[in-house]
Amino acid sequence: MFAGEMRKTYALSLIDRFPPLPKGRPFPRIDPAELIAGLRERVKDPVKQDQGAASLCCPASFFFCVLNYKPELYVQYVIDLFTTGRARIGSLEVKPGMACRVYQPPKDKIAGVDWVALASLRDSYNAILDVASVDDDIAARTREGEVAKWFRQVGYAGVRDDSNIFVSKGRKEIEAFERDARAWRDVCLFVHTNILYDVKNKLNSHVWNHCVVVDEPPDVRNGRISLNVYTYGEIMRIPKIGTLSIEEFSRNFYGYVSGQPTFK
């Protein structure tokens, strides 16, 4: 679901009115000018958001949907985090810990604005481990049911969660997410990263380790599938050439979450 120009214009106006930063600002090692430039870039083109080297695929998928749904919510969320250290969208409350906020993310691994948006969300919902570095793989992972919960908290309607961590899905779930995508619902898929690479996409896997967003309804016919997804700051075709059989796709497919954007 893509935001209209009026929403983008309003989101950009919020950036124009970026409030003064307090002394002892919450993210002291992230350059404000770079963050503001990154905000503008992502409102104009949400694909620019990129988890980079961090294991923040679920927050990235979630906020890609928000950027395309109500970019003003995303902008206000980042502004509030950067100026006060906490933010709220609907009933989704985010308050990252000190270790997350004082980290200086390497520019060649993740942009400052993406660290603020994505790492803050993940860190806020960790009971024990801190997301304090792009190398914090375990701490950055999202647990079962959390993406669906985030969708509900920010106002999506009719959220569906049909996913497993360890047991792959098949034809029924593929047909279901295809129907949802054609009904203009936002759809996130849980996959193994094998599926992204033509040299690996027919290999078996045993657990999902990545989340992507369906960019447009998949092409499913004659028992085969191809589709475009958002991941790692780009729109990627799966597979890059040709199609996969439903059985081949299912080897690395662990289900989906979908929700209907509501514009109240």
Coordinates of all heavy atoms in Angstrom, one line a residue, residues 1 3 46 60-75 77 89 92 150-151 154 156 186:
M1 N 0.9 -1.2 0.0 CA 0.0 0.0 0.0 C 0.9 1.2 0.0 O 1.7 1.4 0.9 CB -0.9 0.0 1.2 CG -1.9 1.1 1.3 SD -3.2 1.0 0.0 CE -4.1 -0.4 0.6
A3 N 1.7 5.3 0.1 CA 1.2 6.6 0.6 C 1.0 7.6 -0.5 O 1.8 7.6 -1.5 CB 2.2 7.1 1.6
P46 N 11.0 4.8 0.2 CA 11.1 3.9 1.3 C 12.1 2.7 1.1 O 12.6 2.2 2.1 CB 9.7 3.4 1.5 CG 8.8 4.5 1.0 CD 9.5 5.0 -0.2
A60 N 12.9 -3.8 9.9 CA 13.0 -3.1 8.6 C 11.8 -3.4 7.8 O 11.3 -2.5 7.1 CB 14.3 -3.6 7.9
S61 N 11.3 -4.7 7.8 CA 10.1 -5.0 7.0 C 8.9 -4.2 7.6 O 8.1 -3.7 6.8 CB 9.9 -6.5 7.1 OG 10.9 -7.2 6.4
F62 N 8.8 -4.2 8.9 CA 7.7 -3.5 9.5 C 7.7 -2.0 9.1 O 6.7 -1.4 8.7 CB 7.7 -3.7 11.0 CG 6.8 -2.8 11.8 CD1 5.5 -3.0 11.8 CD2 7.3 -1.7 12.5 CE1 4.6 -2.2 12.5 CE2 6.5 -0.9 13.3 CZ 5.1 -1.1 13.2
F63 N 8.8 -1.3 9.2 CA 8.9 0.1 9.0 C 8.8 0.4 7.5 O 8.4 1.5 7.1 CB 10.1 0.7 9.7 CG 9.8 1.1 11.1 CD1 10.5 0.5 12.1 CD2 8.8 2.0 11.4 CE1 10.2 0.8 13.4 CE2 8.5 2.4 12.7 CZ 9.2 1.8 13.7
F64 N 9.2 -0.5 6.6 CA 9.0 -0.3 5.2 C 7.5 -0.2 4.9 O 7.0 0.6 4.1 CB 9.6 -1.5 4.4 CG 9.4 -1.4 2.9 CD1 10.1 -0.5 2.2 CD2 8.5 -2.2 2.3 CE1 10.0 -0.4 0.8 CE2 8.3 -2.1 0.9 CZ 9.0 -1.2 0.2
C65 N 6.7 -1.1 5.6 CA 5.3 -1.0 5.4 C 4.7 0.3 6.0 O 3.9 1.0 5.3 CB 4.6 -2.2 6.2 SG 4.9 -3.8 5.4
V66 N 5.2 0.7 7.1 CA 4.7 2.0 7.7 C 5.1 3.2 6.8 O 4.3 4.1 6.6 CB 5.3 2.2 9.1 CG1 5.0 3.6 9.7 CG2 4.8 1.1 10.1
L67 N 6.3 3.2 6.3 CA 6.7 4.2 5.4 C 5.8 4.3 4.1 O 5.6 5.4 3.6 CB 8.2 4.0 4.9 CG 9.3 4.6 5.8 CD1 10.6 4.0 5.5 CD2 9.3 6.2 5.6
N68 N 5.4 3.2 3.7 CA 4.5 3.2 2.5 C 3.0 3.4 2.9 O 2.2 3.7 2.0 CB 4.6 1.9 1.8 CG 5.8 1.8 0.9 OD1 5.9 2.6 -0.1 ND2 6.8 0.9 1.1
Y69 N 2.7 3.3 4.1 CA 1.4 3.4 4.7 C 1.1 4.8 5.2 O 0.2 5.6 4.7 CB 1.2 2.3 5.7 CG 0.1 2.4 6.7 CD1 -1.2 2.8 6.3 CD2 0.3 2.0 8.0 CE1 -2.2 2.8 7.2 CE2 -0.7 2.0 8.9 CZ -2.0 2.4 8.6 OH -3.0 2.4 9.5
K70 N 1.8 5.2 6.2 CA 1.7 6.5 6.8 C 3.1 7.1 7.1 O 3.5 7.0 8.3 CB 0.8 6.5 8.1 CG -0.7 6.2 7.8 CD -1.5 6.2 9.1 CE -3.0 6.0 8.8 NZ -3.7 6.0 10.1
P71 N 3.7 7.7 6.2 CA 5.1 8.1 6.4 C 5.3 9.1 7.5 O 6.3 9.2 8.1 CB 5.6 8.7 5.0 CG 4.3 9.0 4.3 CD 3.3 8.0 4.8
E72 N 4.2 9.9 7.8 CA 4.3 10.9 8.8 C 4.4 10.2 10.2 O 5.0 10.8 11.1 CB 3.0 11.8 8.8 CG 1.7 11.1 9.2 CD 1.0 10.4 8.1 OE1 1.6 10.1 7.1 OE2 -0.2 10.0 8.3
L73 N 3.9 9.0 10.4 CA 4.1 8.2 11.6 C 5.5 7.8 11.8 O 6.1 8.0 12.9 CB 3.2 7.0 11.6 CG 1.7 7.2 11.6 CD1 1.0 5.8 11.7 CD2 1.2 8.1 12.7
Y74 N 6.1 7.4 10.7 CA 7.5 7.0 10.8 C 8.4 8.2 11.1 O 9.3 8.2 12.0 CB 8.0 6.4 9.4 CG 9.5 6.3 9.3 CD1 10.1 5.1 9.7 CD2 10.2 7.2 8.6 CE1 11.5 5.0 9.6 CE2 11.6 7.1 8.4 CZ 12.2 6.0 8.9 OH 13.6 5.9 8.7
V75 N 8.2 9.4 10.4 CA 9.0 10.6 10.7 C 8.8 11.0 12.1 O 9.8 11.3 12.8 CB 8.6 11.7 9.7 CG1 9.2 13.0 10.1 CG2 9.0 11.3 8.3
Y77 N 8.0 9.3 14.7 CA 8.6 8.3 15.5 C 10.1 8.6 15.6 O 10.7 8.6 16.7 CB 8.3 7.0 14.9 CG 9.2 5.8 15.4 CD1 8.9 5.1 16.6 CD2 10.2 5.3 14.6 CE1 9.7 4.0 16.9 CE2 11.0 4.3 14.9 CZ 10.7 3.6 16.1 OH 11.5 2.5 16.5
I89 N 3.8 5.0 18.5 CA 2.9 5.0 17.4 C 1.7 4.2 17.8 O 1.8 3.0 18.0 CB 3.6 4.4 16.1 CG1 4.9 5.1 15.8 CG2 2.6 4.5 14.9 CD1 5.6 4.4 14.6
L92 N 2.0 1.2 20.2 CA 3.4 0.7 20.2 C 4.3 1.7 20.8 O 4.5 2.8 20.3 CB 3.8 0.5 18.7 CG 5.3 0.0 18.5 CD1 5.5 -1.4 19.0 CD2 5.6 0.1 17.0
W150 N 3.1 -5.8 16.3 CA 3.4 -4.4 15.9 C 2.4 -3.9 14.9 O 2.0 -2.7 15.0 CB 4.8 -4.4 15.3 CG 5.9 -4.8 16.2 CD1 5.9 -4.8 17.5 CD2 7.2 -5.2 15.8 NE1 7.1 -5.2 18.0 CE2 8.0 -5.5 17.0 CE3 7.9 -5.4 14.6 CZ2 9.3 -5.9 17.0 CZ3 9.2 -5.9 14.5 CH2 9.9 -6.1 15.7
F151 N 2.0 -4.7 13.9 CA 1.0 -4.2 13.0 C -0.3 -3.8 13.7 O -0.9 -2.8 13.4 CB 0.7 -5.4 12.0 CG 1.6 -5.4 10.8 CD1 2.0 -6.6 10.2 CD2 2.0 -4.2 10.1 CE1 2.8 -6.6 9.1 CE2 2.8 -4.3 9.0 CZ 3.2 -5.5 8.5
V154 N 0.0 -0.4 15.6 CA 0.0 0.8 14.9 C -1.3 1.1 14.0 O -1.3 2.1 13.3 CB 1.3 1.0 14.0 CG1 2.5 0.9 14.8 CG2 1.3 -0.1 12.9
Y156 N -3.2 -1.4 12.0 CA -3.6 -2.3 10.9 C -4.8 -3.1 11.3 O -4.9 -3.5 12.5 CB -2.5 -3.2 10.5 CG -1.5 -2.6 9.5 CD1 -0.5 -1.7 10.0 CD2 -1.4 -3.0 8.2 CE1 0.4 -1.2 9.1 CE2 -0.5 -2.5 7.3 CZ 0.4 -1.6 7.8 OH 1.4 -1.0 6.9
D186 N -0.8 -5.4 3.3 CA 0.7 -5.5 3.4 C 1.0 -6.9 3.9 O 0.4 -7.4 4.8 CB 1.2 -4.4 4.4 CG 1.2 -3.0 3.8 OD1 1.1 -2.9 2.5 OD2 1.3 -2.0 4.5

